[in-house]
Amino acid sequence: MRYISTRGQAPALNFEEVLLAGLASDGGLYVPENLPRFTQEEIASWAGLPYHELAYRVMRPFVTGSIPDADFKKILEETYAVFSHDAVAPLRQLNGNEWVLELFHGPTLAFKDFALQLLGRLLDYVLEKRGERVVIIGATSGDTGSAAIEGCKHCENVDIFILHPHNRVSEVQRRQMTTLFGENIHNIAIEGNFDDCQEMVKASFADQSFLKGTRLVAVNSINWARIMAQIVYYFHASLQLGGPARSVSFSVPTGNFGDIFAGYLARNMGLPINQLIVATNRNDILHRFMSGNQYVKQTLHATLSPSMDIMVSSNFERLLFDMHGRNGAALADLMETFKQGGGFSVDDERWTETRKLFDSLAVDDAQTCETIAEVFAQSGELLDPHTAIGVKAARECRRSLDIPMVILGTAHPVKFPEAVEKAGVGKALELPAHLSDLFERDERCTVLANDLKAVQAFVSQHGNRGKPL
Ligand SMILES: *Cc1c(COP(=O)(O)O)cnc(C)c1O
């Protein structure tokens, strides 16, 4: 399988190279040159497979040529064995033909574990073979950091540095990062905000001289391997609800458009999907595009669903690429227009075509809390604020009651106690068994000034399992 850039200029890469790459050298994102397509018979024959076996069948074509089948199988078996629910991604019924796909039974209680548990293992496998080491520097406002650290903590060949804004992440989220120890794990609290952290990561990718030749790898959702891992659970949910004979719809709490883009790919790979709903919070650039063909940057608002607080949606470029007939030059122009003026619309026909599959809704904090309370009263299920936004959007945008509607349950409610409290459901939140002593554990974290040079000096001092690079 070969991967090409959405901006058409960077060289095509194989899977192994794309795993180790961040942005393409032309500023674009990597996508498969040709998407694999499965027949209905093939998909139907996967019904009842354990999650890791299904994952093997769905993802195998993407890694062919880079990872031998037997090795890939073993990696997947190990990856999904760490999930605490036997079904890995169980479906729970909320209402008539309405389901939540629980993606929060991984080590850090959010769906990001599905991809980052796999990414860590894939990196270690590939690096071992090449005899190389890499450094990861990532910025987090919460979920990504802990999932990335959990995913990489056993990696022999990876040193991971996660930057979070000092005193600006929730206590659960901070502790999920800072209580994980290892000589290759480094938590840095920056005296600044999330944007400051993200800027430092970008600047470090742009000039890597401080790494003395060690390669820098991206763990944010622009990494293709993350998208790839998320395709699997769309097949998994559909197969349990009568697919592929029957079509299924999905509502996806969305920020950077990684998770829902995986659903779009599942459909293009042959899975019958009737409708994909983009559910956003008040940071609604994607809703404004889907409802009015305006992709325009606005200011950032802090919400009760912080993992969806974005101004620009990085993976949306991957959909735009397909919308423009995979014309890299056209995309490069469009993204330049966006950079210059902060917005664009696309041709009417392209937008109308996209809307055949996608619907959208923006849900504010008050509606989020109302939905948490409403669902709790109806079914006794306690939703996290991100999932609640997905439920609200599903109920508003649903096209057919006969088609099963699956809402992606992206996080466990215990991660976001503020929203649950505001919803006033009066149910105590309990940490799952493997995290029950989280608040008693020791923490390890370095506080650094909001200063790129200081951060880079820290990385080069500790980037080789705690020793200098
Ligand atoms: C990351 C995250 C999202 C958004 O996913 P994208 O792939 O960025 O659209 C939604 N909910 C939770 C809980 C998350 O951690």
Side-chain angles (χ1 to χ4, degrees), residues 46-357:
W46 301 336
L49 286 180
Y51 192 89
H52 65 273
E53 294 263 355
L54 176 67
Y56 171 71
R57 283 163 178 83
V58 172
M59 289 192 271
R60 184 172 170 264
F62 293 114
V63 307
T64 304
S66 290
I67 305 181
D69 289 352
D71 293 351
F72 191 47
K73 253 189 171 160
K74 186 157 161 274
I75 290 171
L76 290 170
E77 196 171 343
E78 284 170 15
T79 299
Y80 295 107
V82 303
F83 283 63
S84 65
H85 196 293
D86 283 347
V88 182
L91 269 178
R92 199 181 277 266
Q93 187 159 22
L94 280 191
N95 230 320
N97 230 356
E98 185 188 61
W99 311 77
V100 169
L101 182 65
E102 295 186 351
L103 300 175
F104 47 75
H105 296 286
T108 73
L109 314 179
F111 82 91
K112 292 186 170 71
D113 288 326
F114 278 82
L116 286 163
Q117 284 294 317
L118 178 60
L119 183 67
R121 287 173 174 82
L122 287 173
L123 280 175
D124 222 29
Y125 175 87
V126 163
L127 292 167
E128 180 72 39
K129 201 170 70 177
R130 295 162 73 107
E132 283 178 30
R133 302 184 53 80
V134 299
V135 164
I136 286 173
I137 305 179
T140 190
S141 53
D143 294 340
T144 305
S146 56
I149 293 172
E150 272 285 354
C152 295
K153 68 180 180 186
H154 296 305
C155 295
E156 292 290 329
N157 306 302
V158 178
D159 273 81
I160 180 162
F161 295 82
I162 294 294
L163 278 44
H164 72 264
H166 190 38
N167 291 332
R168 295 193 199 199
V169 298
S170 78
E171 184 167 8
V172 174
Q173 289 184 321
R174 187 192 72 238
R175 286 182 164 273
Q176 282 188 306
M177 299 189 276
T178 57
T179 58
L180 293 171
F181 303 157
E183 50 189 7
N184 64 333
I185 297 174
H186 313 275
N187 278 288
I188 303 177
I190 298 289
E191 292 175 318
N193 60 29
F194 173 63
D195 281 336
D196 297 327
C197 298
Q198 212 165 20
E199 278 310 312
M200 288 193 193
V201 174
K202 272 193 201 153
S204 300
F205 270 95
D207 177 4
Q208 304 186 12
S209 52
F210 70 102
L211 292 168
K212 311 196 168 107
T214 306
R215 192 199 283 264
L216 191 60
V217 167
V219 285
N220 57 5
S221 61
I222 62 161
N223 190 306
W224 162 256
R226 284 190 57 182
I227 307 277
M228 172 183 86
Q230 292 166 3
I231 299 170
V232 177
Y233 45 68
Y234 288 89
F235 281 87
H236 177 75
S238 159
L239 282 163
Q240 288 176 75
L241 293 170
R246 199 177 178 205
S247 189
V248 176
S249 294
F250 291 89
S251 176
V252 186
T254 297
N256 273 320
F257 206 76
D259 212 5
I260 194 165
F261 185 70
Y264 163 83
L265 294 178
R267 183 172 183 266
N268 289 349
M269 289 162 73
L271 187 70
I273 294 179
N274 180 260
Q275 184 187 10
L276 285 173
I277 301 172
V278 180
T280 77
N281 62 25
R282 205 179 147 199
N283 298 293
D284 61 350
I285 184 166
L286 289 167
H287 172 59
R288 283 180 279 119
F289 177 80
M290 290 299 172
S291 58
N293 193 3
Q294 293 285 322
Y295 192 76
V296 180
K297 198 162 156 176
Q298 288 185 353
T299 48
L300 188 72
H301 301 285
T303 72
L304 291 174
S305 44
S307 303
M308 288 155 49
D309 288 350
I310 50 99
M311 283 195 290
V312 175
S313 200
S314 44
N315 284 292
F316 191 53
E317 179 166 344
R318 289 182 156 122
L319 182 70
L320 287 167
F321 181 58
D322 280 5
M323 281 167 69
H324 290 79
R326 309 201 110 202
N327 178 340
L331 243 277
D333 284 350
L334 192 66
M335 297 321 288
E336 188 57 28
T337 307
F338 185 69
K339 197 170 149 197
Q340 300 296 331
F344 60 74
S345 343
V346 302
D347 297 345
D348 264 348
E349 314 86 80
R350 300 188 202 281
W351 181 79
T352 309
E353 189 58 33
T354 304
R355 284 299 315 276
K356 286 184 184 161
L357 177 63

Side-chain angles (χ1 to χ4, degrees), residues 384-421:
D384 101 286
H386 306 81
T387 308
I389 287 172
V391 170
K392 174 76 179 167
R395 291 181 177 180
E396 295 284 322
C397 302
R398 190 164 179 176
R399 292 179 190 169
S400 162
L401 289 175
D402 298 329
I403 295 172
M405 171 60 73
V406 177
I407 296 107
L408 299 200
T410 51
H412 191 291
V414 77
K415 289 193 93 164
F416 302 97
E418 191 191 347
V420 175
E421 249 161 58

